[in-house]
Amino acid sequence: MSIFSRLWRPHSRDKPQNSVGGGWSFLFGGTTSGKAVNERTAMQTSAVYACVRILSESIAVLPLHVYRYTDNGGKERTSMHPLYRLLHDEPNREMTSFVFRETLMAHLLLWGNAYAQIIRDGRGYPVALYPMLPDRMSIDRNPQGELIYTYQSDKGQVKLRKESVLHIPGLGFDGLIGYSPIAMAKNAVGLALATEDYGATFFANGANPGGVLEHPGVIKPEQADRLRESWATQFGGANAHKVAVLEEGLKFHQMSIPPEQAQFLETRKFQINEIARIFRVPPHMVGDLEKSSFSNIEQQSLEFVKYTLDPWVVRWEQSLQQALILPSEKAAIFIKFNLDGLMRGDYQSRMQGYSVGIQNGFYSVNDVRGLEDLNLLPDSEGGNIHVLNGNMVKLADVGAAYKTNEKEDTS
């Protein structure tokens, strides 16, 4: 059977694989830069580490609450629901909510998938969530077409039904398995690793480029090896700046291209932007302030929330909703992150917005005080009263007053 017939068999589409392309090895391992790239070696690149840390901590720090719909069509936070403690405080006895979400988000960014085992009580409510490593998980379908998750633990294989797994997939081709961003952009990450290794080797050699020792005569291979080792010992590493004395007509010729000619620093800067582009993180958040200023950093930060965090938040919310909310409660209970804190502007902008809200009646004083983490005013002081600017009247009332005045003038 040829490779093409194996790849395009009809049932291959019905069997999801927890790897890019169902095992297409050309997306992993070696790169054109010569560096092997995988999820763990990629974290040795400062830009990848910074992007993963920023996004993981941003998701972990967001308030996560359980809400229920009210009879008047509104919503209110419910801290008495069993899920509230798991999501807001601690998903298990070993982790806080921050660490749990940070870990799963890091898995999602590096492997393209995040998994957690769901422990349920006799009523079906989740009582604990435990992260599972994505590279140990595989997914298959049983004869009935149901998804079966197989996890390779230290004690052997564990098979789990869909109801026992919280699975948050990233971008993928089949809607079931997310593909690793690191694997998809392995050449960009490999170039960054190669550039860092080149710089480290260059400076470990005292910032001196390599070269060739020219001997006027003919020497044997073993003599050449001893001469090379002797030169590296005396004038390499910490001894690179010592004065060399050449005997027997030896001459040193520089061979390597100097880093400034190879645009070493420019390459490093470009790779930082390239990796930031993969994760859609503004360059100023990973330390590149070359094209940033005080006037546009705030706008870039708001765009980061809107265009980068918001899709991840929706992905999280819908996966949590699907896996953790019981079918009988889906019409009454929902899970939601609160991004209001990240969307707030500077102090002056917030105060202007609050002023408009209070004057137009859609904010009360206590609404604003709650957003600013201030103590609420009691009802006796009018903290919950909604007011409206007295100069504003309905258009219908303006029209009626105009007609009344017109009649009085004609009479």
Side-chain angles (χ1 to χ4, degrees):
M1 183 181 296
S2 68
I3 183 173
F4 293 103
S5 59
R6 291 197 304 269
L7 288 175
W8 300 109
R9 282 181 297 177
H11 71 272
S12 65
R13 296 182 179 181
D14 298 330
K15 184 178 180 181
Q17 300 290 332
N18 194 40
S19 59
V20 176
W24 297 349
S25 60
F26 66 84
L27 289 172
F28 293 97
T31 63
T32 53
S33 65
K35 292 293 180 181
V37 172
N38 55 47
E39 292 80 1
R40 290 180 171 84
T41 59
M43 287 289 281
Q44 298 175 6
T45 304
S46 60
V48 173
Y49 182 87
C51 290
V52 171
R53 181 178 179 182
I54 288 168
L55 290 171
S56 299
E57 292 178 346
S58 297
I59 291 295
V61 78
L62 289 175
L64 179 59
H65 300 294
V66 179
Y67 294 87
R68 71 175 183 88
Y69 294 105
T70 59
D71 295 335
N72 61 359
K75 64 179 181 180
E76 65 179 7
R77 190 186 307 172
T78 170
S79 59
M80 302 305 295
H81 195 277
L83 278 178
Y84 187 89
R85 181 186 61 83
L86 287 183
L87 300 178
H88 185 268
D89 298 327
E90 55 178 26
N92 57 68
R93 295 183 178 181
E94 302 170 0
M95 300 178 183
T96 63
S97 177
F98 182 96
V99 173
F100 174 79
R101 285 184 278 156
E102 181 186 44
T103 302
L104 258 64
M105 188 61 186
H107 291 174
L108 189 54
L109 293 169
L110 293 173
W111 279 277
N113 297 274
Y115 302 95
Q117 183 181 3
I118 305 174
I119 307 298
R120 300 181 183 269
D121 61 12
R123 299 176 300 170
Y125 286 105
V127 295
L129 300 171
Y130 289 93
M132 296 184 289
L133 290 173
D135 56 347
R136 295 188 177 188
M137 181 71 75
S138 61
I139 305 177
D140 205 341
R141 292 187 187 272
N142 61 14
Q144 290 74 36
E146 300 173 341
L147 291 178
I148 299 297
Y149 293 80
T150 304
Y151 187 70
Q152 185 66 43
S153 67
D154 295 335
K155 298 181 180 180
Q157 285 189 354
V158 179
K159 291 187 178 295
L160 302 169
R161 296 175 62 88
K162 185 178 185 296
E163 294 76 15
S164 298
V165 178
L166 166 62
H167 179 198
I168 308 174
L171 176 65
F173 295 158
D174 57 5
L176 294 176
I177 301 299
Y179 291 164
S180 167
I182 301 301
M184 291 298 185
K186 66 174 184 177
N187 283 327
V189 179
L191 180 57
L193 287 171
T195 306
E196 289 186 359
D197 283 354
Y198 172 77
T201 304
F202 177 74
F203 285 105
N205 194 35
N208 288 329
V212 173
L213 285 174
E214 179 183 0
H215 193 279
V218 178
I219 58 176
K220 297 180 180 180
E222 56 271 15
Q223 293 174 329
D225 292 339
R226 287 197 301 268
L227 182 59
R228 183 186 302 107
E229 293 175 2
S230 176
W231 179 272
T233 302
Q234 296 183 41
F235 306 109
N239 301 324
H241 297 286
K242 288 186 176 181
V243 177
V245 178
L246 304 180
E247 299 178 337
E248 300 180 358
L250 281 176
K251 295 181 180 179
F252 178 80
H253 300 280
Q254 179 177 310
M255 291 290 293
S256 299
I257 301 175
E260 61 271 17
Q261 296 182 18
Q263 295 183 329
F264 170 69
L265 295 179
E266 287 76 7
T267 302
R268 291 208 65 188
K269 288 182 180 180
F270 178 79
Q271 288 312 113
I272 292 176
N273 289 327
E274 187 79 354
I275 292 173
R277 186 180 300 115
I278 296 170
F279 293 99
R280 204 188 295 173
V281 173
H284 78 270
M285 299 188 74
V286 294
D288 183 6
L289 301 175
E290 185 176 358
K291 297 182 180 179
S292 300
S293 63
F294 290 107
S295 61
N296 66 9
I297 280 185
E298 181 179 356
Q299 184 62 34
Q300 290 185 48
S301 299
L302 294 177
E303 290 181 354
F304 168 72
V305 176
K306 182 177 180 180
Y307 298 112
T308 302
L309 276 188
D310 201 38
W312 287 116
V313 165
V314 173
R315 193 183 298 272
W316 269 80
E317 289 174 346
Q318 294 186 355
S319 296
L320 292 173
Q321 185 87 5
Q322 184 182 50
L324 302 181
I325 300 294
L326 297 182
S328 59
E329 295 183 331
K330 288 186 181 295
I333 302 294
F334 66 96
I335 301 168
K336 190 171 183 61
F337 286 91
N338 186 355
L339 278 75
D340 291 341
L342 295 179
M343 292 297 292
R344 295 191 301 179
D346 57 27
Y347 183 80
Q348 181 178 0
S349 300
R350 296 202 311 273
M351 293 303 108
Q352 291 176 351
Y354 293 152
S355 178
V356 172
I358 291 176
Q359 292 179 19
N360 288 276
F362 56 85
Y363 271 161
S364 68
V365 173
N366 276 346
D367 291 335
V368 174
R369 294 181 69 87
L371 292 173
E372 291 294 317
D373 293 328
L374 300 174
N375 292 330
L376 303 183
L377 298 179
D379 291 337
S380 60
E381 298 182 15
N384 294 315
I385 295 177
H386 291 260
V387 297
L388 190 65
N389 195 320
N391 295 327
M392 300 176 64
V393 295
K394 292 188 295 183
L395 290 175
D397 295 339
V398 174
Y402 177 78
K403 291 179 179 179
T404 301
N405 294 334
E406 188 179 35
K407 289 181 179 180
E408 291 177 353
D409 292 341
T410 57
S411 63

